[in-house]
Amino acid sequence: MSALRNIKYNEEEDGELPSLVTGEETNLQEILKNVSYDGGNIVSDAKVERVNKQMESVDNNMNGSQKRKRIPVSIITGYLGSGKSTLLEKIALKGADKKIAVILNEFGDSSEIEKAMTIKNGSSSYQEWLDLGNGCLCCSLKNIGVKAIEDMVERSPGKIDYILLETSGIADPAPIAKMFWQDEGLNSSVYIDGIITVLDCEHILKCLDDVSVDAHWHGDKVGLEGNLTIAHFQLAMADRIIMNKYDKIEHSPNTIKQLQKRIREINCIAPMYFTKYSETSIDKLLDIHAYDSIRVSDILDNSVGGGTIHDHRMGTVMLTFRPLRDEEEYNEKFLKQFLQPLLWKNFGALAVLEGGSEHNEHNWEVQRTKGLILIEGNKPAVRVIQGVRDTYDVFPGRCDDDGSQKECKIVLIGKYLEKGSIEKLLHETLNYN
Ligand SMILES: Nc1nc2c(ncn2[C@@H]2O[C@H](COP(=O)(O)OP(=O)(O)OP(=O)(O)O)[C@@H](O)[C@H]2O)c(=O)[nH]1
Ligand SMILES: [Zn+2]
């Protein structure tokens, strides 16, 4: 671009400048070479400015195409000892043709977090250790870890196809997912592809029942309000569930049934795969696009049943409702009077939801929202809503090509959610008769 500034050009002698660069040319250098350097008058600043601007947009377009090559991050979470590292090894083995960067995060005794970033690139792999010096990945990742990930990506352009981030057994995946998904800075090079939760079929029910608030892990006291365990959150946020250590329960069909029912009560959307030593095909785990617009519809369609809640602590509520009449109803009613009060728990929703069961005073909480909203009127549109806790984002969506999507759908996963009260809030908002 600065090269353009050196163009000395005299219209009489050199005739018309070639048409300004549009950025489409492949022979940009030829064009610039042909512009004869006469050492005479300086091309008018306005012209240089204009051409520089054009070059800028060329650069941006270039970056744009590089930007489009963003790297998917899969967050691998799950209770202590469930088989996360075993899964990572399997993916790395099976994905030998893919270039996978693995970010490990273990809580050591001194509760130091050592962070290894290993880029498996063919046989060679190089380690990068990042001591976050902070007891909690999801909090510290926001600052130090984000930078380290960006540096890693910048330093190895084209060398990474996937990033697998294994959280420790006691990290809550929601803030980590939110950070990747919300963080403008990171959007330049990575994006969150989905959360893979590994569970230990033999012990998970005990974990889910171990709701005494003074539960301890690694000697750290991890108290949780509302008597939920981290295992609940890790399950609620899952976009894929690896039901690992199947060898431990494969001979007791009742346990398998009980397990499936309990997991489905917490998360009725994510596909479940029973595995031994986390053995599964990796195409079920990578490129799942759980956080972008296109796939939400089939994720929603995957959800089984109405998500009625048996377990009042963590559950899934799925509602279908008529298309919204127009943008006005979408903005003023659906967003402002239904979705925002629900996610932000402000008085509007509380008043309606308070009527729910004794749990509902103030400790209900939506952890994950996925929605497909059809808007009719003179500017019909499809919107996809992706939410993590109190944050949501809206993407332009598209209905399945066969136009089978006739209704709006929203799935809410969270704590003490009562389908009846939420439906009532929606119906009052859209004054359903
Ligand atoms: N029986 C059985 N053992 C398994 C299975 N998968 C993993 N294991 C064993 O369970 C133990 C824990 O596995 P890891 O992969 O280290 O579990 P993790 O989730 O990474 O553990 P943390 O990082 O400490 O949370 C190891 O000894 C594994 O060999 C399985 O399917 N069946
Ligand atoms: Zn944290």
Side-chain angles (χ1 to χ4, degrees), residues 98-110:
K98 301 179 191 319
K99 288 167 282 192
I100 298 175
V102 172
I103 298 177
L104 300 181
N105 159 237
E106 291 299 331
F107 276 81
D109 295 339
S110 57

Side-chain angles (χ1 to χ4, degrees), residues 80-86 106 244-245 247-248 276-277:
L80 298 169
S82 52
K84 299 183 291 299
S85 310
T86 309
E106 291 299 331
N244 196 33
K245 308 203 184 182
D247 50 302
K248 300 280 192 181
K276 292 179 185 171
Y277 290 91

